[in-house]
Amino acid sequence: MIEPVTAPVAPDLRVLVIDDDEDLARTLRRALTSVNIEADHVTDPRQALAELEQRASYWDVIVLDLNLPAMPGVEALRRIREMGVATSVVMLTGDDRAASAAECMRAGAFYYLTKPFALAELTGCIRGAARQTQDLALRREYV
């Protein structure tokens, strides 16, 4: 079960971080909590897919590492979209090749952020992605 690091007051946003790097995930969770964003973390994309199947609308944004040992991040992204999950996805990677970024965008990523990055850059991406998720949810209500 995922154990969230919660903000001291109700969070502005909820993010699911899918990354096998425990140290990076721990740092991200602390940093995001400091700006009132609740972050849950899983290391295995298969676990993330199971969690999303149960409660996809719980998270406003998914932050997904591109290079995961259990399943490539772009494959996890494709499966997320095949499940019908509309939550915006920010891809995190050390791979700055344009072809890799294009593949992720075609698969349904909102943004492709390369490491290293500044916290302000990540939070800006997350807030933008959350607005897109909210816009998509509103459009679905009126269709």
Side-chain angles (χ1 to χ4, degrees), residues 52-111:
L52 287 164
E53 220 168 37
Q54 299 300 312
R55 54 186 188 140
S57 63
Y58 180 77
W59 294 285
D60 301 295
V61 177
I62 299 165
V63 176
L64 176 59
D65 185 26
L66 182 62
N67 298 310
L68 296 165
M71 173 190 308
V74 72
E75 178 59 27
L77 174 58
R78 285 187 185 104
R79 290 188 187 185
I80 289 167
R81 294 299 178 234
E82 287 168 3
M83 292 168 48
V85 175
T87 305
S88 296
V89 177
V90 174
M91 300 300 291
L92 276 188
T93 183
D95 183 351
D96 63 356
R97 292 176 301 136
S100 181
E103 181 182 16
C104 290
M105 301 306 277
R106 280 192 304 272
F110 171 78
Y111 198 79

Side-chain angles (χ1 to χ4, degrees), residues 1-18 25-41 55 57-63 122-123 126-127 130:
M1 186 65 179
I2 296 174
E3 293 186 29
V5 172
T6 56
V9 295
D12 293 336
L13 300 170
R14 289 184 175 88
V15 174
L16 176 60
V17 177
I18 308 167
R26 193 172 13 265
T27 300
L28 284 179
R29 291 174 74 191
R30 277 194 221 111
L32 292 173
T33 299
S34 75
V35 292
N36 208 33
I37 298 173
E38 181 179 298
D40 297 328
H41 172 241
R55 54 186 188 140
S57 63
Y58 180 77
W59 294 285
D60 301 295
V61 177
I62 299 165
V63 176
L122 177 62
T123 57
I126 287 172
R127 292 190 188 285

